[in-house]
Amino acid sequence: MQETRQNKISRLLQKELAEIFQSQTRQMNGVLVSVTRVKISPDLSICSAYLSIFPSEKSEELLANITENEKTIRYELGKRVRNQLRIIPELRFFKDDSLDYIDRIDELLKK
């Protein structure tokens, strides 16, 4: 039963985080940040979000900037989901490099 609730909250947080990043990156031309996966701890206190950043050359810089502004992102998330969640989880962001990995495998297979 707990797992079903975790999945629902993960989907909600993924949707809201994606909208937050979409509105923030609109000002930056040529940058796209998408939330590929969200995992939440069983006690719903820690949210691990995996971000796919395009172009990948700017990913380290953008991830550092996102981690630095974690509190403002959490505040914005809290304003959006305050009616659905009692406690807003602590956010942790990680780089999802699965697309780069897939591209690298395609390159190797073409040789």
Side-chain angles (χ1 to χ4, degrees), residues 42 65 111:
N65 189 11
K111 288 184 179 181

Side-chain angles (χ1 to χ4, degrees), residues 20 70-80 88 91:
I20 290 170
E70 188 176 303
K71 291 186 191 281
T72 52
I73 295 170
R74 185 177 179 201
Y75 175 74
E76 182 69 29
L77 182 66
K79 287 195 315 189
R80 291 172 177 252
I88 306 304
L91 299 174

Side-chain angles (χ1 to χ4, degrees), residues 1-106:
M1 195 65 167
Q2 181 70 16
E3 191 173 312
T4 304
R5 181 178 169 142
Q6 281 177 293
N7 290 337
K8 285 181 181 180
I9 292 174
S10 292
R11 285 193 304 264
L12 172 71
L13 293 176
Q14 182 177 5
K15 178 181 159 273
E16 295 299 334
L17 282 172
E19 289 178 8
I20 290 170
F21 287 130
Q22 184 180 23
S23 66
Q24 287 181 355
T25 57
R26 218 175 252 149
Q27 300 151 357
M28 302 168 58
N29 291 334
V31 175
L32 179 67
V33 177
S34 59
V35 183
T36 55
R37 184 176 46 183
V38 171
K39 289 184 180 178
I40 193 148
S41 64
D43 62 350
L44 307 177
S45 65
I46 299 172
C47 170
S48 301
Y50 293 86
L51 306 176
S52 178
I53 301 171
F54 181 80
S56 58
E57 296 85 37
K58 296 183 179 182
S59 64
E60 294 298 325
E61 175 188 341
L62 250 112
L63 191 61
N65 189 11
I66 289 170
T67 305
E68 189 176 296
N69 294 319
E70 188 176 303
K71 291 186 191 281
T72 52
I73 295 170
R74 185 177 179 201
Y75 175 74
E76 182 69 29
L77 182 66
K79 287 195 315 189
R80 291 172 177 252
V81 297
R82 69 175 177 238
N83 295 328
Q84 288 112 343
L85 295 177
R86 189 171 43 125
I87 297 172
I88 306 304
E90 177 185 328
L91 299 174
R92 295 186 182 158
F93 297 104
F94 301 99
K95 183 176 125 180
D96 183 14
D97 55 355
S98 59
L99 292 177
D100 295 336
Y101 182 72
I102 290 170
D103 287 341
R104 178 74 178 134
I105 289 175
D106 283 344

